[in-house]
Amino acid sequence: MLRITRLFDRDRDKTLSRFGLEPWSFDMLAALRRDPGRRFTPGDLMAAMLVTSGTMTTRLKSLEHRGWITRTPDPGDRRVVVVELTTAGTEVIDEAFGEVLSCQRELIRSLSGEEFSAAAQILKKILLGHEGPAPLP
């Protein structure tokens, strides 16, 4: 499983680099993209990404510098900062996400539909046995 994970990671990292993304920036932009109507705070992202406030500040500055996010005071409470994707950020995550999925599909193309389903069931069983059911949104 570790060798397969490395294959996926290597291909993902190579794909992301074509977009100027690192795994962490891909994950952050994807988190923002997943819930476009939600108003994210740095604290929300910190909890989702499991990083410290210093790391989050550095990452937000980097994404803002690249023009992929904005950080603005919340009109209802100016002490709160809201993080949102820009049009450029939405475009880069949409393109990169599509390419990452294509690469992942390529890595599993040798599996038949039945083999893919069986593998998915086995991996799900391993995860459920270790982590339990996923929490409801």
Side-chain angles (χ1 to χ4, degrees), residues 84-101:
E84 296 176 292
L85 279 176
T86 62
T87 301
T90 300
E91 289 171 0
V92 75
I93 191 59
D94 287 352
E95 261 190 83
F97 191 78
E99 287 293 317
V100 168
L101 285 178

Side-chain angles (χ1 to χ4, degrees), residues 16 21-35 40-64 66 68-71 83-85 89-90 92-93:
L16 293 179
L21 293 164
E22 305 82 13
W24 68 262
S25 57
F26 177 79
D27 290 344
M28 282 191 54
L29 294 176
L32 291 165
R33 183 68 172 123
R34 242 186 318 274
D35 203 350
F40 286 89
T41 66
D44 296 332
L45 294 169
M46 214 169 66
M49 301 291 118
L50 302 175
V51 297
T52 65
S53 61
T55 298
M56 181 55 59
T57 298
T58 301
R59 290 179 176 184
L60 290 172
K61 283 180 184 178
S62 175
L63 295 176
E64 189 173 41
R66 297 183 222 184
W68 293 337
I69 66 159
T70 59
R71 292 184 292 172
V83 180
E84 296 176 292
L85 279 176
T90 300
V92 75
I93 191 59

Side-chain angles (χ1 to χ4, degrees), residues 62-122:
S62 175
L63 295 176
E64 189 173 41
H65 178 73
R66 297 183 222 184
W68 293 337
I69 66 159
T70 59
R71 292 184 292 172
T72 56
D74 186 320
D77 184 348
R78 301 203 48 85
R79 297 169 296 171
V80 176
V81 172
V82 176
V83 180
E84 296 176 292
L85 279 176
T86 62
T87 301
T90 300
E91 289 171 0
V92 75
I93 191 59
D94 287 352
E95 261 190 83
F97 191 78
E99 287 293 317
V100 168
L101 285 178
S102 291
C103 288
Q104 290 176 349
R105 284 187 191 106
E106 182 64 23
L107 285 172
I108 62 171
R109 79 179 187 294
S110 63
L111 297 178
S112 70
E114 186 176 294
E115 289 168 332
F116 178 81
S117 293
Q121 287 177 339
I122 290 167

